[in-house]
Amino acid sequence: MRKTIFFVILLFLATHGTAAAEAERVIFDNNEYGGVTKEVIYSEDDANFNKGMYKVIASYDKDGNKKKMEVYATGDSSEKKGWYKKVIYYWGRKKISEAYSTDADSTKYGFSRMVSYFNNNDKLEKREYYLNEDTVAGKLGVYKRVVHYDSKGNIDYVQDLDRLDNPVLIE
């Protein structure tokens, strides 16, 4: 009986130890920031999976500071939130966040990617919308619409730009 219990405990520790080791792994030892890049894939019973995260890839600099994080949404979460992937860049105290739209949201709202720029106080400074070519503005040569915000979070002004960042005037 003791041998059976010991074997069951040993088997349990071996399988769960292996599963935990496979959950987080280093995929680059020397990334573009001089540090490591780690990948974590969440299982269906993990709290982060239940929050809508399927996979996270985090890149660190040589000092261990997080520089970039890619978050991949679960299928259910991407349908609800309208994005399948977010990439967050950390530049000192500033942060840039990219959200990649699902096909359904891209069709519905007319843009495939949204990039948000935050200041040192984590307040939104500007947001860029990368328009689909089949939208009315896209057919008129607008590649991205840039919305600038004031210090109170109100829209300050909007720019329509072509692929070379030249202004496009739509009248």
Side-chain angles (χ1 to χ4, degrees):
M1 181 70 175
R2 278 188 178 161
K3 286 182 181 180
T4 306
I5 293 172
F6 178 75
F7 180 75
V8 169
I9 292 172
L10 189 61
L11 182 64
F12 176 79
L13 290 174
T15 55
H16 288 289
T18 304
E22 291 174 1
E24 178 179 302
R25 67 185 180 105
V26 174
I27 56 175
F28 294 112
D29 283 325
N30 187 16
N31 61 26
E32 66 263 35
Y33 308 107
V36 298
T37 298
K38 297 178 182 180
E39 175 186 65
V40 178
I41 298 175
Y42 299 108
S43 64
E44 290 183 16
D45 58 344
D46 191 281
N48 286 315
F49 189 92
N50 293 326
K51 290 179 185 175
M53 291 186 277
Y54 161 69
K55 175 171 70 171
V56 172
I57 299 175
S59 298
Y60 301 87
D61 66 11
K62 64 181 176 2
D63 298 322
N65 299 312
K66 191 183 296 181
K67 301 305 275 180
K68 177 179 161 185
M69 187 168 71
E70 298 175 48
V71 179
Y72 294 83
T74 62
D76 290 344
S77 180
S78 65
E79 285 179 29
K80 288 178 192 170
K81 295 180 180 177
W83 57 269
Y84 67 91
K85 174 182 166 182
K86 277 193 178 181
V87 180
I88 304 157
Y89 300 92
Y90 301 92
W91 302 110
R93 295 184 57 160
K94 291 192 173 206
K95 182 172 75 172
I96 300 169
S97 174
E98 292 180 303
Y100 293 83
S101 301
T102 61
D103 289 342
D105 261 41
S106 181
T107 301
K108 182 178 179 179
Y109 296 108
F111 63 90
S112 59
R113 181 169 57 125
M114 179 179 68
V115 182
S116 303
Y117 296 81
F118 299 91
N119 66 16
N120 295 344
N121 298 321
D122 211 27
K123 291 206 174 212
L124 184 62
E125 288 182 332
K126 76 175 177 177
R127 185 168 277 157
E128 299 173 343
Y129 298 90
Y130 290 81
L131 303 182
N132 299 340
E133 290 180 2
D134 62 350
T135 62
V136 174
K139 289 177 182 175
L140 294 172
V142 177
Y143 176 65
K144 69 179 170 181
R145 177 162 287 152
V146 183
V147 180
H148 296 266
Y149 297 88
D150 64 17
S151 60
K152 295 179 183 176
N154 300 315
I155 294 176
D156 195 14
Y157 63 99
V158 177
Q159 294 176 294
D160 288 330
L161 304 172
D162 66 13
R163 288 188 178 273
L164 300 174
D165 281 344
N166 296 316
V168 177
L169 300 175
I170 300 175
E171 297 181 24

